[in-house]
Amino acid sequence: MRAVCYLGDGRVTLEDVPEPKIEQDRDAIIDVEAASICGTDLHLIHTEGALAPGTRLGHEYTGKVLEVGRAVRCLSPGQAVLGSSFVACGSCRACRRGDHWHCRQRRMLGTGSAFGPPLDGAQAERVRVPFADIVLSPRPAGIDTASAVLLSDVLATGYHVAARGAVQAGDVVAIVGAGPVGLAALLVAELCGAAVVVVIDQLQTRRETAMDLGAVATDDGVSIVRELSDGWGADVVVEASGSAGGLALAQDLVRGRGTLAVVGAPSQSAALDPVSLFEREVAVRFVIGNPISAREELTRLVRFGPLDVTPLISQTLGLDDAGEAYELFAQRATLKILLRI
Ligand SMILES: [Zn+2]
Ligand SMILES: [Zn+2]
């Protein structure tokens, strides 16, 4: 079968690879219908030594169950399913609390050893998913393919950054970085009742998308946030750029006793200013989305209409075009690209 594989030196290629097989009783094999490319994929392929050449990439996906292991109870072949970017056991203390990311058996698809032992990625015709009863759930009618793929990662990230950033009705919210995660955070912050959301990005095309989705968009942010908050600063600031400059700006934008929620994986050079954050009693939270625990609520929001995530998909390409899709995404010329398998 075909899979998108890391070639080395920041390059990817479509390769013929062996079919995945049931290895554990709780595994399922998924016939992938669509997958997408994430900032995490780009970050890893451009970080020297992060991935072994030959790593199958991708952790955002949806598809149909092809085969299940003997201990899988809730899924059967032919069923369309929603997935999760990472897997977790479902029965340990962390999982029982809903903190699946903190499961000791956590593994993330398609990311090498970056977040647990390696697990093959989902930008492929088929993929093996361990702990299938926990990680996958039947896809309800009314969830289209694009939304299903976004539910496996980026939407959960937007959801949890708004939840853990404690966005409340009437808040002034600022979001630094209008990539797919920043825009997902925008959509959820609006649902939480934010009075106004200011989105800061250097790219005009991304600012236009943010404005279409109801935000005030700017390439600067400081003066607009001050003006809209009567000089106080934003109640909640979401750092979704992953850049050192973005984190510095986010610290400037947040008000005293406000919340700074960091969701963009921070770069090595990013720094927090503890003196200023302490003096202003800013709550700082680092947030990693959990598609397993957020699925129930998010699915309803998508299915019944309040959350329309289709604007986050800018293009649909075939698996054969994966190389081109990675290049477009690296140039920030697109938002999410959907790869139809
Ligand atoms: Zn992702
Ligand atoms: Zn667990």
Side-chain angles (χ1 to χ4, degrees), residues 19-318:
E19 289 283 344
K21 290 190 171 57
I22 299 282
E23 293 176 23
Q24 307 278 338
D25 287 347
R26 297 176 68 189
D27 289 355
I29 306 295
I30 301 305
D31 210 347
V32 181
E33 181 188 344
S36 58
I37 303 171
C38 180
T40 304
D41 300 326
L42 279 190
H43 176 72
L44 290 172
I45 67 171
H46 290 293
T47 302
E48 207 184 321
L51 298 175
T55 298
R56 298 183 199 179
L57 297 167
H59 57 267
E60 303 179 350
Y61 60 98
T62 187
K64 281 191 175 148
V65 177
L66 188 69
E67 192 185 347
V68 294
R70 283 187 308 176
V72 174
R73 297 277 170 264
C74 309
L75 302 166
S76 46
Q79 208 166 21
V81 284
L82 298 170
S84 163
S85 54
F86 64 86
V87 307
C89 80
S91 47
C92 71
R93 189 168 166 188
C95 285
R96 288 200 316 268
R97 288 173 54 101
D99 296 332
H100 300 90
W101 179 258
H102 300 280
C103 174
R104 292 211 176 130
Q105 298 192 68
R106 179 195 71 220
R107 300 163 77 181
M108 188 162 168
L109 283 79
T111 52
S113 307
F115 307 105
L119 191 61
D120 284 340
Q123 289 161 9
E125 289 180 288
R126 283 164 286 285
V127 66
R128 177 177 79 95
V129 179
F131 309 121
D133 276 334
I134 301 299
V135 177
L136 305 169
S137 19
R139 184 170 129 194
I143 303 286
D144 63 283
T145 304
S147 302
V149 171
L150 295 172
L151 279 163
S152 67
D153 190 23
V154 67
L155 259 186
T157 307
Y159 179 82
H160 278 125
V161 78
R164 300 193 55 213
V167 175
Q168 292 180 25
D171 277 354
V172 173
V173 175
I175 297 173
V176 181
V181 166
L183 294 175
L186 161 64
L187 293 173
V188 181
E190 288 172 339
L191 280 181
C192 292
V196 61
V197 183
V198 179
V199 171
I200 301 113
D201 199 287
Q202 300 309 307
L203 279 184
Q204 195 188 339
T205 49
R206 293 193 164 183
R207 291 200 299 274
E208 282 167 6
T209 308
M211 282 191 278
D212 287 345
L213 296 175
V216 173
T218 166
D219 60 356
D220 170 15
V222 177
S223 53
I224 290 183
V225 168
R226 291 233 166 93
E227 187 190 324
L228 293 173
S229 59
D230 302 319
W232 273 62
D235 300 295
V236 180
V237 179
V238 174
E239 197 320 280
S241 76
S243 70
L247 188 61
L249 174 62
Q251 293 175 77
D252 279 348
L253 294 176
V254 66
R255 70 163 165 83
R257 282 222 148 186
T259 302
L260 167 56
V262 180
V263 72
S267 68
Q268 291 281 348
S269 57
L272 288 170
D273 178 352
V275 175
S276 163
L277 294 169
F278 173 77
E279 187 267 326
R280 292 185 291 144
E281 292 190 294
V282 171
V284 180
R285 300 206 140 188
F286 293 94
V287 181
I288 294 173
N290 181 348
I292 301 170
S293 70
R295 185 175 295 149
E296 192 75 34
E297 293 87 340
L298 276 175
T299 304
R300 278 187 235 134
L301 288 167
V302 171
R303 192 175 163 192
F304 298 120
L307 193 54
D308 175 12
V309 293
T310 44
L312 302 192
I313 303 277
S314 55
Q315 238 164 318
T316 301
L317 295 172

